[in-house]
Amino acid sequence: MKLLVAISQTPETTARIAFKDDGKAFDAAGVNFIMNPYDEWYALVRALELKEEVGGTVSVIHCGPAAHDVTIRKALAIGADDAYRVDIDPDSAYSVAQQIAAHAKSEGYAIIFTGKETIDYNGALVGGMIAGILDQPFISHASKMVTSGDKMIVTRDIEGGEEEIEVSTPFVLSASKGLAEQRIPNMRGIMSAKSKPLTVIEAIPSASLATYTSFSVPPPKSAVKLVDPSDMDELVRLLHEEAKAI
Amino acid sequence: MSGHKSVKTDQYQGHDYFNVDELLSQDHLLARDAVRDWVKQEVSPIIEDYSNRSECPKHLFKGLAEIGAYGPSLPVEYGGGGMDEIAYGVIMQELERGDSGVRSMASVQGSLVMYPIFRYASEEIKKKYLPKLGSGEMIGCFGLTEPDHGSNPSGMVTKIVDDGDAYILNGAKMWITNSPVADLAVVWAKDEAGEIRGMVVESGWKGFSAPEIHGKWSLRASITGELVFEDVRVPKTHVFPDIKGLKGPLSCLSKARYGIAWGAIGAGLDCYDSALRYSLEREQFGRPIGGFQLTQKKLAEMITEITKAQLLAWRLGSLANVGKATPAQISMAKRNNVHMALEIAREARQIHGGMGITNEYPVMRHMMNLETVLTYEGTHDIHLLITGMDVTGLNAFS
């Protein structure tokens, strides 16, 4: 089974977030980047498990400049067979989806995996857009996938429960927690990743459909207010007037 | 037995004040981050409990093998990782960030057992042991120090006597990391001509015993013991053919000390990281204690010393990669970086106040561990005399 995993790069979860250019752009100075955890821990690892179950290949694709190669190398170290990097600094989910779809169109992947969202912009858009461009089914928020004959049974997280879907390949899937478990690359994997192919693809011309107006950080959390346990009237007043919870 | 898992999340993040990361390759960064993730997943949740109970988390021997922490700079065909010396360094740094005892488990196996076998043993012995040591199927230990001969190893009394196709080994070794759980020992003993010889001795051979040393207040998660040899028959094939004298064991110690120079940075970083976070959370007199000058003095000196140690280790690694790191340079780096980490642990303990003496925070454990690290693999004072001898040309040992 020929599998493709789209991987993105995001700021480390503990990074201090700041903006520049009057709040129009993210300030990457001093920020460490990691592979988007939904892509790495769930999408990539489930693709590798599927390859181990039924055979085939796992390729990864990333849209970004050469400076991102270390993230791609990590995916190869974890176990992907080969990698593609589309040489573009993408400015929106649509531009990423266009590039990945353009590559995938002629490759005949059975399943294209993405994370359910990136942990920076939380767009959750790329998977659905790839499926739309390729005219394939899209299953989002997959937390379990099992093979059933020539079909797949995929469990989706939905509000208040789960949904089970039977689907035939090819399709696009976005991975949420539970689909697999994190695999830490070992030293052998890191060294063997050096000899795995990383092909740089020239970007196709694409129009941007989005412009960012401004970003801002959320207001700081206010201090905890302690209420005397005997003063329930004050607690009710605060919940009603300040928290507006009741 | 499996112990309690800590409910606290390991919030550690690295600190790189002088952008030393830019001097590292992709391999180094991937290796470091992989071991950091492994430590957060496997070591941090259990280490306080094992250390508290003074028990070795033996299951980590296998995990260390799987991540590739044994002999990462040895060739792949001999069970190593085929990486360079800086990769080995950053792996040791991240392991010791978790715990010096866990780092010791790995540095003994890689630098003191696999390295001498790789460097000095016959091809047959290499093939027999190295792949199993690399995969963690076998655990090794290193017998040099004796009860009466620590800083002066050349005075050793453990000896071998020729007996046809074998040597008969008699003597005792002390302070041997991993010895009670080891499947084999690399042992240094004098032959009948008084020359120091190295050999591979299996723990199952008649006359071999390895009693555990109890009561340590340091490296409590690492198992330490003696080695006692009573007429152990060591086949001549197991004795290293071409190396005689102290340079054999000293070359292994250089490897291990090199790893400690990096490892100590990890312990220092963990203490600094914890102290910095605590100083921003803990309030006294109505504001975070990190805002007070005396706390800032401690924190500023810590990150300054860490930065110097990082640059020293990186330069030492660059020299080691081209075979140019001298034993005296390794001594200086080991001595400086371990002392740096111990001082940081003590200062960090003060910033944590009373909480600093509990196992809610890693600081006191690191501090106690580092007291051992200051002494083993060449004491703080002996390394000073090595630098002294190197710059004056005069020997102050004897």
Side-chain angles (χ1 to χ4, degrees), chain A:
Chain A
M1 198 176 267
K2 196 172 170 180
L3 307 168
L4 180 70
V5 184
I7 57 171
S8 181
Q9 169 168 300
T10 61
E12 200 175 35
T13 49
T14 56
R16 283 188 197 159
I17 303 301
F19 300 103
K20 59 180 185 181
D21 303 342
D22 277 341
K24 286 196 171 56
F26 173 61
D27 184 0
V31 172
N32 286 326
F33 287 87
I34 57 170
M35 200 188 317
N36 180 43
Y38 289 108
D39 305 346
E40 178 188 335
W41 299 352
Y42 312 124
L44 174 59
V45 176
R46 189 63 189 95
L48 293 170
E49 288 171 353
L50 191 56
K51 175 192 154 180
E52 286 154 13
E53 285 165 40
V54 303
T57 57
V58 175
S59 303
V60 294
I61 188 164
H62 174 74
C63 296
H68 295 188
D69 279 356
V70 67
T71 297
I72 299 170
R73 279 277 307 279
K74 185 177 187 188
L76 294 170
I78 292 170
D81 297 292
D82 56 9
Y84 297 92
R85 179 171 63 78
V86 185
D87 196 20
I88 182 176
D89 202 359
D91 60 2
S92 68
Y94 185 61
S95 82
V96 172
Q98 274 186 313
Q99 300 298 336
I100 293 173
H103 162 76
K105 199 162 51 186
S106 57
E107 290 288 331
Y109 294 108
I111 306 172
I112 301 174
F113 294 78
T114 72
K116 73 166 184 177
E117 62 187 359
T118 51
I119 61 165
D120 48 7
Y121 293 95
N122 305 92
L125 294 167
V126 171
M129 287 177 171
I130 296 171
I133 298 168
L134 294 176
D135 197 21
Q136 288 182 7
F138 174 54
I139 302 170
S140 67
H141 299 83
S143 58
K144 191 178 168 192
M145 176 172 69
V146 290
T147 51
S148 168
D150 58 352
K151 290 186 165 51
M152 293 283 171
I153 312 281
V154 183
T155 305
R156 289 185 70 235
D157 292 338
I158 57 170
E159 190 67 37
E162 289 178 339
E163 181 179 78
E164 215 174 78
I165 294 175
E166 192 180 75
V167 61
S168 301
T169 59
F171 63 94
V172 182
L173 170 147
S174 84
S176 65
K177 190 177 174 183
L179 189 68
E181 276 187 25
Q182 181 188 7
R183 282 189 189 178
I184 297 172
N186 62 20
M187 299 310 125
R188 198 149 293 176
I190 290 169
M191 293 310 277
S192 68
K194 288 168 105 160
S195 53
K196 291 179 177 176
L198 194 176
T199 309
V200 179
I201 309 174
E202 205 175 314
I204 58 159
S206 63
S208 181
L209 300 182
T211 47
Y212 295 104
T213 314
S214 74
F215 295 103
S216 60
V217 293
K221 281 183 193 163
S222 53
V224 173
K225 278 188 185 162
L226 295 174
V227 180
D228 190 312
S230 62
D231 194 357
M232 282 303 107
D233 289 348
E234 174 64 4
L235 178 65
V236 170
R237 188 192 70 76
L238 286 170
L239 287 171
H240 181 63
E241 289 177 13
E242 288 196 13
K244 300 193 190 330
I246 54 174

Side-chain angles (χ1 to χ4, degrees), chain B residues 46-57 99 101 216-222 359 365-366 368-369:
Chain B
I46 58 137
I47 194 64
E48 297 295 351
D49 182 55
Y50 274 88
S51 209
N52 195 25
R53 289 187 287 110
S54 193
E55 185 181 329
C56 174
D99 187 77
K216 293 180 299 165
W217 283 119
S218 179
L219 295 190
R220 288 167 63 83
S222 162
N359 63 8
R365 177 171 49 81
H366 281 306
M368 296 198 297
N369 284 342

